[in-house]
Short mmCIF file of all heavy atoms in Angstrom, two decimals:
data_model
loop_
_atom_site.label_atom_id
_atom_site.label_comp_id
_atom_site.label_asym_id
_atom_site.label_seq_id
_atom_site.Cartn_x
_atom_site.Cartn_y
_atom_site.Cartn_z
N ASP U 181 15.26 17.70 -14.84
CA ASP U 181 14.58 16.94 -15.89
C ASP U 181 14.38 15.51 -15.31
O ASP U 181 15.24 14.96 -14.73
CB ASP U 181 15.54 16.81 -17.14
CG ASP U 181 15.71 18.19 -17.81
OD1 ASP U 181 14.78 19.01 -17.75
OD2 ASP U 181 16.76 18.37 -18.43
N TYR U 182 13.16 15.03 -15.57
CA TYR U 182 12.74 13.73 -14.98
C TYR U 182 12.48 12.72 -16.14
O TYR U 182 12.17 13.14 -17.24
CB TYR U 182 11.49 13.89 -14.14
CG TYR U 182 11.63 14.77 -12.95
CD1 TYR U 182 11.18 16.01 -13.02
CD2 TYR U 182 12.14 14.28 -11.72
CE1 TYR U 182 11.22 16.89 -11.93
CE2 TYR U 182 12.22 15.06 -10.63
CZ TYR U 182 11.78 16.39 -10.69
OH TYR U 182 11.85 17.21 -9.65
N ALA U 183 12.60 11.47 -15.81
CA ALA U 183 12.10 10.37 -16.66
C ALA U 183 10.95 9.76 -15.87
O ALA U 183 11.14 8.84 -15.10
CB ALA U 183 13.21 9.36 -16.91
N PRO U 184 9.69 10.28 -16.09
CA PRO U 184 8.55 9.76 -15.28
C PRO U 184 8.27 8.32 -15.68
O PRO U 184 8.45 7.85 -16.80
CB PRO U 184 7.46 10.72 -15.77
CG PRO U 184 8.12 11.86 -16.51
CD PRO U 184 9.34 11.32 -17.13
N GLU U 185 7.71 7.67 -14.66
CA GLU U 185 7.26 6.30 -14.83
C GLU U 185 5.77 6.22 -14.37
O GLU U 185 5.33 7.14 -13.66
CB GLU U 185 8.06 5.31 -13.92
CG GLU U 185 9.57 5.29 -14.37
CD GLU U 185 10.38 4.45 -13.41
OE1 GLU U 185 9.79 3.83 -12.51
OE2 GLU U 185 11.64 4.47 -13.51
N ALA U 186 5.07 5.23 -14.71
CA ALA U 186 3.67 5.06 -14.40
C ALA U 186 3.57 4.99 -12.84
O ALA U 186 4.29 4.27 -12.22
CB ALA U 186 3.09 3.87 -15.03
N HIS U 187 2.64 5.73 -12.31
CA HIS U 187 2.47 5.72 -10.86
C HIS U 187 1.02 5.30 -10.48
O HIS U 187 0.16 5.33 -11.37
CB HIS U 187 2.74 7.15 -10.26
CG HIS U 187 1.78 8.16 -10.72
ND1 HIS U 187 2.09 9.06 -11.81
CD2 HIS U 187 0.53 8.54 -10.33
CE1 HIS U 187 1.04 9.82 -11.98
NE2 HIS U 187 0.09 9.55 -11.07
N GLU U 188 0.84 4.98 -9.22
CA GLU U 188 -0.51 4.64 -8.75
C GLU U 188 -0.71 5.20 -7.37
O GLU U 188 0.00 4.93 -6.44
CB GLU U 188 -0.66 3.10 -8.70
CG GLU U 188 -2.11 2.64 -8.37
CD GLU U 188 -3.11 3.23 -9.34
OE1 GLU U 188 -3.17 2.82 -10.47
OE2 GLU U 188 -3.79 4.22 -8.92
N THR U 189 -1.73 6.05 -7.27
CA THR U 189 -2.00 6.73 -6.02
C THR U 189 -3.51 6.49 -5.58
O THR U 189 -3.91 7.12 -4.54
CB THR U 189 -1.72 8.22 -6.14
OG1 THR U 189 -2.46 8.74 -7.24
CG2 THR U 189 -0.27 8.45 -6.25
N ASP U 190 -4.18 5.68 -6.30
CA ASP U 190 -5.65 5.54 -6.07
C ASP U 190 -5.86 4.22 -5.26
O ASP U 190 -5.71 3.15 -5.82
CB ASP U 190 -6.40 5.53 -7.40
CG ASP U 190 -7.93 5.56 -7.27
OD1 ASP U 190 -8.42 5.19 -6.15
OD2 ASP U 190 -8.59 5.99 -8.16
N LEU U 191 -6.31 4.37 -4.02
CA LEU U 191 -6.48 3.23 -3.16
C LEU U 191 -7.58 2.32 -3.72
O LEU U 191 -7.40 1.09 -3.77
CB LEU U 191 -6.80 3.67 -1.76
CG LEU U 191 -7.17 2.55 -0.72
CD1 LEU U 191 -5.99 1.59 -0.51
CD2 LEU U 191 -7.66 3.15 0.58
N ARG U 192 -8.65 2.93 -4.13
CA ARG U 192 -9.81 2.07 -4.58
C ARG U 192 -9.41 1.30 -5.88
O ARG U 192 -9.71 0.15 -6.09
CB ARG U 192 -11.00 2.99 -4.88
CG ARG U 192 -12.29 2.23 -5.24
CD ARG U 192 -13.49 3.13 -5.30
NE ARG U 192 -13.86 3.55 -3.97
CZ ARG U 192 -14.61 2.87 -3.19
NH1 ARG U 192 -15.04 1.66 -3.51
NH2 ARG U 192 -14.98 3.37 -2.03
N ALA U 193 -8.67 1.95 -6.80
CA ALA U 193 -8.19 1.28 -7.97
C ALA U 193 -7.29 0.19 -7.77
O ALA U 193 -7.26 -0.84 -8.49
CB ALA U 193 -7.62 2.34 -8.93
N ARG U 194 -6.55 0.25 -6.65
CA ARG U 194 -5.53 -0.80 -6.39
C ARG U 194 -6.00 -1.81 -5.28
O ARG U 194 -5.24 -2.61 -4.76
CB ARG U 194 -4.27 -0.12 -5.87
CG ARG U 194 -3.54 0.72 -6.84
CD ARG U 194 -2.65 -0.11 -7.79
NE ARG U 194 -1.47 -0.68 -7.10
CZ ARG U 194 -0.67 -1.51 -7.59
NH1 ARG U 194 -0.73 -1.83 -8.89
NH2 ARG U 194 0.39 -1.96 -6.91
N ARG U 195 -7.30 -1.69 -4.94
CA ARG U 195 -7.84 -2.44 -3.85
C ARG U 195 -7.52 -3.96 -3.98
O ARG U 195 -7.23 -4.69 -2.99
CB ARG U 195 -9.32 -2.23 -3.78
CG ARG U 195 -9.96 -2.89 -2.54
CD ARG U 195 -11.47 -2.48 -2.49
NE ARG U 195 -12.02 -2.79 -1.18
CZ ARG U 195 -13.15 -2.34 -0.83
NH1 ARG U 195 -13.90 -1.58 -1.63
NH2 ARG U 195 -13.68 -2.75 0.34
N LYS U 196 -7.62 -4.52 -5.19
CA LYS U 196 -7.39 -5.93 -5.38
C LYS U 196 -5.92 -6.38 -5.09
O LYS U 196 -5.63 -7.56 -5.05
CB LYS U 196 -7.83 -6.36 -6.81
CG LYS U 196 -9.34 -6.27 -7.03
CD LYS U 196 -9.72 -6.70 -8.40
CE LYS U 196 -11.23 -6.61 -8.59
NZ LYS U 196 -11.66 -7.09 -9.93
N LYS U 197 -5.02 -5.39 -4.97
CA LYS U 197 -3.65 -5.68 -4.74
C LYS U 197 -3.37 -5.70 -3.22
O LYS U 197 -2.20 -5.74 -2.79
CB LYS U 197 -2.72 -4.62 -5.39
CG LYS U 197 -2.88 -4.54 -6.92
CD LYS U 197 -2.32 -5.83 -7.59
CE LYS U 197 -2.30 -5.58 -9.10
NZ LYS U 197 -1.76 -6.79 -9.80
N ALA U 198 -4.42 -5.56 -2.37
CA ALA U 198 -4.21 -5.47 -0.93
C ALA U 198 -3.56 -6.79 -0.47
O ALA U 198 -3.78 -7.87 -0.93
CB ALA U 198 -5.55 -5.27 -0.27
N ARG U 199 -2.70 -6.66 0.56
CA ARG U 199 -2.03 -7.81 1.16
C ARG U 199 -1.91 -7.57 2.59
O ARG U 199 -2.05 -6.49 3.14
CB ARG U 199 -0.56 -7.92 0.56
CG ARG U 199 0.33 -6.72 0.69
CD ARG U 199 1.74 -6.98 0.27
NE ARG U 199 2.57 -5.78 0.23
CZ ARG U 199 3.09 -5.24 1.35
NH1 ARG U 199 2.90 -5.83 2.53
NH2 ARG U 199 3.92 -4.20 1.23
N SER U 200 -1.64 -8.66 3.31
CA SER U 200 -1.41 -8.60 4.72
C SER U 200 -0.12 -7.93 5.02
O SER U 200 0.90 -8.07 4.29
CB SER U 200 -1.38 -10.00 5.37
OG SER U 200 -2.61 -10.62 5.18
N PRO U 201 0.00 -7.07 6.01
CA PRO U 201 1.17 -6.30 6.33
C PRO U 201 2.30 -7.08 6.99
O PRO U 201 2.00 -8.19 7.48
CB PRO U 201 0.67 -5.16 7.27
CG PRO U 201 -0.46 -5.82 7.94
CD PRO U 201 -1.10 -6.73 6.96
N GLY U 202 3.43 -6.52 6.94
CA GLY U 202 4.57 -7.17 7.72
C GLY U 202 4.40 -6.94 9.22
O GLY U 202 3.29 -6.49 9.66
N LYS U 203 5.46 -7.10 9.91
CA LYS U 203 5.40 -6.97 11.34
C LYS U 203 5.01 -5.59 11.84
O LYS U 203 4.22 -5.43 12.70
CB LYS U 203 6.78 -7.31 11.93
CG LYS U 203 6.77 -7.19 13.52
CD LYS U 203 8.15 -7.50 14.03
CE LYS U 203 8.20 -7.33 15.59
NZ LYS U 203 9.56 -7.56 16.09
N GLY U 204 5.48 -4.52 11.14
CA GLY U 204 5.15 -3.17 11.52
C GLY U 204 5.94 -2.72 12.74
O GLY U 204 6.93 -3.26 13.12
N LYS U 205 5.37 -1.66 13.40
CA LYS U 205 6.06 -1.12 14.48
C LYS U 205 5.86 -1.94 15.75
O LYS U 205 4.99 -2.76 15.83
CB LYS U 205 5.41 0.28 14.86
CG LYS U 205 5.69 1.35 13.80
CD LYS U 205 5.01 2.66 14.14
CE LYS U 205 3.48 2.47 14.13
NZ LYS U 205 2.72 3.71 14.30
N ASP U 206 6.82 -1.77 16.67
CA ASP U 206 6.66 -2.54 17.93
C ASP U 206 5.39 -2.17 18.59
O ASP U 206 5.02 -0.99 18.62
CB ASP U 206 7.87 -2.14 18.82
CG ASP U 206 9.20 -2.70 18.35
OD1 ASP U 206 9.18 -3.60 17.60
OD2 ASP U 206 10.25 -2.20 18.77
N GLY U 207 4.69 -3.15 19.13
CA GLY U 207 3.46 -2.86 19.78
C GLY U 207 2.24 -2.97 18.89
O GLY U 207 1.08 -2.98 19.40
N PHE U 208 2.40 -3.04 17.54
CA PHE U 208 1.19 -3.20 16.71
C PHE U 208 0.52 -4.56 17.01
O PHE U 208 1.17 -5.61 17.05
CB PHE U 208 1.61 -3.13 15.24
CG PHE U 208 0.47 -3.51 14.35
CD1 PHE U 208 -0.61 -2.69 14.15
CD2 PHE U 208 0.49 -4.72 13.68
CE1 PHE U 208 -1.67 -3.10 13.28
CE2 PHE U 208 -0.54 -5.16 12.84
CZ PHE U 208 -1.64 -4.27 12.68
N GLU U 209 -0.78 -4.48 17.16
CA GLU U 209 -1.50 -5.76 17.43
C GLU U 209 -2.31 -6.08 16.21
O GLU U 209 -3.29 -5.38 15.83
CB GLU U 209 -2.43 -5.55 18.70
CG GLU U 209 -1.65 -5.33 19.92
CD GLU U 209 -2.55 -5.17 21.15
OE1 GLU U 209 -3.76 -5.39 20.98
OE2 GLU U 209 -2.01 -4.85 22.19
N PRO U 210 -1.98 -7.17 15.53
CA PRO U 210 -2.77 -7.53 14.41
C PRO U 210 -4.13 -7.99 14.80
O PRO U 210 -4.45 -8.26 15.97
CB PRO U 210 -1.97 -8.78 13.80
CG PRO U 210 -1.19 -9.29 14.94
CD PRO U 210 -0.87 -8.13 15.81
N PRO U 211 -5.12 -8.01 13.86
CA PRO U 211 -6.42 -8.49 14.25
C PRO U 211 -6.36 -9.83 14.86
O PRO U 211 -5.57 -10.70 14.45
CB PRO U 211 -7.17 -8.45 12.94
CG PRO U 211 -6.45 -7.52 12.11
CD PRO U 211 -5.01 -7.67 12.43
N PRO U 212 -7.21 -10.12 15.90
CA PRO U 212 -7.21 -11.47 16.49
C PRO U 212 -7.77 -12.53 15.46
O PRO U 212 -8.38 -12.16 14.51
CB PRO U 212 -8.09 -11.35 17.71
CG PRO U 212 -9.02 -10.14 17.32
CD PRO U 212 -8.14 -9.26 16.49
#
């Protein structure tokens, strides 16, 4: 039995929530 909560899986719908990423994996090169 679950207690569901509102979820969001739509990239386009959440596009305005985009943010710059953290450091990420070793070796990741952010855009210059």
Side-chain angles (χ1 to χ4, degrees):
D181 293 332
Y182 299 98
E185 298 173 6
H187 64 264
E188 187 54 73
T189 54
D190 189 337
L191 175 63
R192 186 173 288 278
R194 295 277 292 177
R195 186 176 194 168
K196 292 183 179 179
K197 300 290 186 179
R199 58 174 173 78
S200 296
K203 179 182 177 183
K205 293 179 294 189
D206 291 339
F208 170 73
E209 295 181 6

